[in-house]
Amino acid sequence: MSKARWLPLLLLLLPPFYLDMFWLQAGLFVMAAAIGAIGLNLLTGSTGQLSMGHSFFLAVGAYGYVYFAGESDGHVSGLGLPTPLAAVLAVALAGLAGLAFSPISGRLSGVYLGIASLALIFVGQHVLFNFEKVTGGYNGRAVEPMNLFGLPFDGSTDLVVLGVPFGALERLWFLGLALLALAAWFAYGVLRGRPGRAMNLIRDQQIAAGVLGVPVARMRGAVFTLSSMYAGLAGVLLALAFQRAVPDYFGVLLAFEYLAMIVIGGLGSVTGAIVGAAFVTLLPQLLTRYSDSLPLVAAAGGEGVAPSDAARYLYGTAVVLIVLFLPAGLSGLRVPSLTPRKETTP
């Protein structure tokens, strides 16, 4: 890998030393969204399978971690497992949920799969609101902080790095960055290997894929399961960043936001999933933070458009514009090289 490609990765190590809590938490939300968007892009962008139930699998990952790592008390129950094991089991649980749905995802495609997967969200919302012993009901429940190799990620112990106190968000930043790098690396490997070629062939020429010996239904089901595991991992990181799991968050709007992420960033592109996740996730937070300085945007209860609504209007417009004028998404933009071309003599 060239030095120019390493530079963004190195720069991402610096924010905990210079940025305040707002930006660190926003960055963690972007990392969690990017992991989930990579998984959805493998399914929708690379395999051509429309899924509108992605937020259901995020909820499975988030609440799976909360249940496995949490302790039982008079109101909620939990297993009290070590947090790294709880995170792994939560991702596996999301994968099992995707595997259970894979017979349907392997046989349906297009809008039919989209409608079928959308039903998962309504079932999930009913369970989250009513299975109070696990989810905490409408108010949700607190998330057990990660404890990795004796280092708690809640800031309860003093940790100073290069003169900077490292609290919960600073520690979670590096955990999230490592998980995102691992998720992106694995997705690149899948797309560049034989599974990636088979996925693209199913997306472009399903009949030809079957004729060439690609097990179409099995491959679709496998990619759906893998996408669900990505969503489960995103749900775990999201729960750790929020520090509280609330059922309202994992609804239909979140599923639409993930679809917007992969369309804006670029279908079938790992880099595009990350770029789209950053755009869709940061936009409402920036509008909220700077609502006093922006025209037509006002804080909740003020005269103007609420920041969350303004963000949806903007990235909805972005989806339309990108579909019309930039089908490859933002990842299709190429920055001109600053290196002068060498002239060849005849």
Side-chain angles (χ1 to χ4, degrees):
M1 184 180 288
S2 66
K3 293 181 180 180
R5 293 185 178 182
W6 277 108
L7 184 59
L9 297 178
L10 294 176
L11 290 177
L12 287 174
L13 299 175
L14 299 179
F17 297 97
Y18 297 99
L19 300 183
D20 60 23
M21 297 299 179
F22 169 81
W23 293 106
L24 292 180
Q25 190 169 52
L28 282 168
F29 293 156
V30 170
M31 293 177 196
I35 293 172
I38 290 172
L40 185 59
N41 224 351
L42 289 174
L43 180 66
T44 301
S46 300
T47 315
Q49 291 289 87
L50 176 63
S51 173
M52 299 178 66
H54 209 55
S55 57
F56 168 80
F57 298 103
L58 268 89
V60 173
Y63 278 99
Y65 173 80
V66 168
Y67 175 73
F68 290 133
E71 299 285 348
S72 297
D73 58 27
H75 303 287
V76 293
S77 60
L79 299 182
L81 299 176
T83 51
L85 176 60
V88 172
L89 290 177
V91 175
L93 182 63
L96 288 175
L99 182 63
F101 194 77
S102 62
I104 298 175
S105 64
R107 288 167 173 78
L108 296 179
S109 61
V111 67
Y112 300 104
L113 177 60
I115 294 172
S117 59
L118 183 62
L120 290 173
I121 297 180
F122 298 112
V123 173
Q125 287 285 286
H126 176 77
V127 173
L128 292 179
F129 283 123
N130 292 280
F131 198 15
E132 296 184 7
K133 291 295 292 182
V134 172
T135 67
Y138 287 84
N139 295 323
R141 61 183 290 184
V143 177
E144 188 72 19
M146 177 64 68
N147 190 310
L148 193 61
F149 303 117
L151 177 66
F153 283 70
D154 58 358
S156 59
T157 59
D158 294 332
L159 177 64
V160 179
V161 179
L162 299 178
V164 178
F166 264 41
L169 293 179
E170 287 85 359
R171 302 178 193 190
L172 280 174
W173 179 275
F174 290 102
L175 176 63
L177 195 60
L179 292 176
L180 176 57
L182 181 63
W185 171 78
F186 186 82
Y188 274 122
V190 169
L191 293 177
R192 290 175 178 174
R194 292 181 62 185
R197 292 191 291 272
M199 290 156 58
N200 291 336
L201 186 59
I202 291 173
R203 178 195 62 197
D204 299 331
Q205 296 289 339
Q206 178 181 330
I207 296 176
V211 171
L212 292 174
V214 177
V216 176
R218 188 184 308 168
M219 179 62 72
R220 283 176 171 174
V223 177
F224 195 94
T225 302
L226 178 61
S227 175
S228 303
M229 295 180 72
Y230 268 86
L233 180 59
V236 172
L237 183 56
L238 195 63
L240 291 171
F242 265 126
Q243 299 179 353
R244 190 169 190 85
V246 182
D248 271 334
Y249 182 77
F250 302 99
V252 176
L253 288 178
L254 182 62
F256 289 152
E257 287 178 1
Y258 271 93
L259 289 175
M261 290 176 196
I262 62 174
V263 173
I264 292 172
L267 291 171
S269 168
V270 175
T271 303
I274 298 173
V275 172
F279 181 88
V280 173
T281 305
L282 285 177
L283 190 58
Q285 298 185 63
L286 293 177
L287 291 177
T288 301
R289 185 177 177 90
Y290 300 108
S291 59
D292 294 338
S293 305
L294 297 173
L296 304 179
V297 179
E303 294 183 0
V305 182
S308 58
D309 293 334
R312 294 189 183 103
Y313 298 152
L314 288 174
Y315 64 67
T317 303
V319 167
V320 174
L321 293 176
I322 284 175
V323 169
L324 290 175
F325 303 109
L326 196 63
L330 295 179
S331 63
L333 295 173
R334 292 291 182 267
V335 178
S337 176
L338 299 178
T339 304
R341 294 184 180 179
K342 295 181 180 181
E343 295 184 0
T344 57
T345 56

